[in-house]
Amino acid sequence: MLAIAMGTRVIAPNIWAKVADRTGMWVELVKIGAAAAAVTYTSFFFEGSLMSLAISLVVYTFFWKPFWRSWSW
């Protein structure tokens, strides 16, 4: 499970940066990413298998990891 978080930490910011550069809407992408992370965070509270938890972690960290550094003090 920790490898999933580290993997998305490497891959997700590059994808988000490429999308932001192509669209030019980086502020809107931060808002979309934060909202999507908040929505996908709720998936951790549903009962499921290890596979569903892993998928939830991939989706959540894909949306959260690119932005968590910019919000920390």
Side-chain angles (χ1 to χ4, degrees), residues 1-40:
M1 290 289 181
L2 291 175
I4 292 172
M6 292 300 117
T8 55
R9 188 179 213 179
V10 172
I11 295 169
N14 295 321
I15 294 172
W16 280 100
K18 191 170 195 169
V19 170
D21 287 342
R22 289 194 180 210
T23 62
M25 303 182 338
W26 62 275
V27 174
E28 289 82 5
L29 286 175
V30 169
K31 293 176 185 177
I32 291 168
V39 169
T40 57

Side-chain angles (χ1 to χ4, degrees), residues 3 12 15 19 22 24 28 36 41 44-45 64 68-69 72-73:
I15 294 172
V19 170
R22 289 194 180 210
E28 289 82 5
Y41 179 73
F44 291 120
F45 299 109
W64 182 248
W68 78 276
R69 259 321 213 192
S72 62
W73 301 101

